[in-house]
Amino acid sequence: MRTNLKFFFYLLSMAYVLKTLNSWFWWESLWIPANCTWADLEDHDGIVFPKPYQLYATIPCAFVMLMVRFLIERYIAIPLAKALGIKNVTRVKPQPNAVLENYFRKCTNHPSQSEMQGLAKKCNWTVHLVDKWFRRRRNLELPTMLRKFQEACWRFSFYLTSSTAGFIFLYDKPWFYDIWQVWVGYPFQSLLSSQYWYYMAEISFYWSLLFTLGTDIKRKDFMAHVVHHLAAIILMACSWCGNYVRIGTLVMIVHDTADFWLESAKMFNYARWEKTCNVLFIIFSVVFFITRIILFPFWILRGTLYLPSYYSSKIVIAYFIFNGQLLILQGLHLYWGYFVLKILNKFLFLKVFRTPTPAWAKTDGKKDLKDDRSDDEEEDSLTDNEECTKNGSKNGCGLNRHQVLNNNH
């Protein structure tokens, strides 16, 4: 009985805490200007306002996005990859070896020379065979060229669609040309149906990216992508709740405009269309610097940091929250822009166009030519048959000819 009472009082206290937090979160002074209440933002006289509960729809929509992604990757990306000459190459698996597998998983996948010598003694193998085993095992962890192409094709499809839709939605809006119009009549700005669907699609897309972080291609700027996706979702959700929809749509189109150029360049890079991918990457670089290094800080941030003071004598707390998140995004722009500049430097000053491989042939994004974000596939210097012919079949390291042919098929 006493335990039940404790649990009951615990539930009451938790309900009180949640109610208090909810009241603090929706505190009017946090979101909307002075002399304005949430009651004023109820639909009336044909004016429709964004409603926070509408954001719940983005979660099921994210799963719809995943279904669309599956269809695009399977029925568009794969046939397109085959048409461009990209093959789904099956990698050679290393020989089963419990000692090396355990070391690979628990210690390191790049053992030093002395470590390989110790492992060779344990397995009664040659150092060369141990080195080759680790190369093949590392290769199994890397995505195939077809897998990279599928992911790039999906992102290209979304960014191209969202950019096109965003331009169609915004080209006839006055705030698309005059940033001052973003704040005219705020917060009593009616929500347009185009703005509703634009927001739902963008938030759902970033939710889907978060859901697939564990299965998508791993890169060394993984945490930068996590921060970017979270900041994007939080920023769009908060701007929706505070009816900062006009400025939100401008932020979205500025971000999407450059991305489909990058994804298209990746696709041609994987297909080894060197000149095409180089040209597309240069176009991406130009668009990236115009939209994210020039327009975003000097147009968007100017409209959010400077102009609100002309329309309200009292700055609300949301002003600092939104601009803090926008500044985080700008920091990421500068982070990625630095690596884009490094690539362009090699384009312009090292005459990369004359080399047999594209300037960023080993690059999956906004980084160095050899792509510090992801490992390159390593080649085998000898086949299992050649190695074991030299060293004999010792303690299970050797394979009969039938096994070797099957491994290399």
Side-chain angles (χ1 to χ4, degrees), residues 372-387:
D372 295 330
R373 305 185 309 157
S374 57
D375 297 324
D376 296 330
E377 184 172 353
E378 302 166 271
E379 296 181 355
D380 293 330
S381 58
L382 292 173
T383 65
D384 280 335
N385 194 38
E386 292 169 329
E387 179 69 23

Side-chain angles (χ1 to χ4, degrees), residues 30 121 160 233 267 275:
L30 174 65
K121 289 180 181 179
L160 179 61
I233 291 173
M267 292 165 64
K275 292 183 179 179

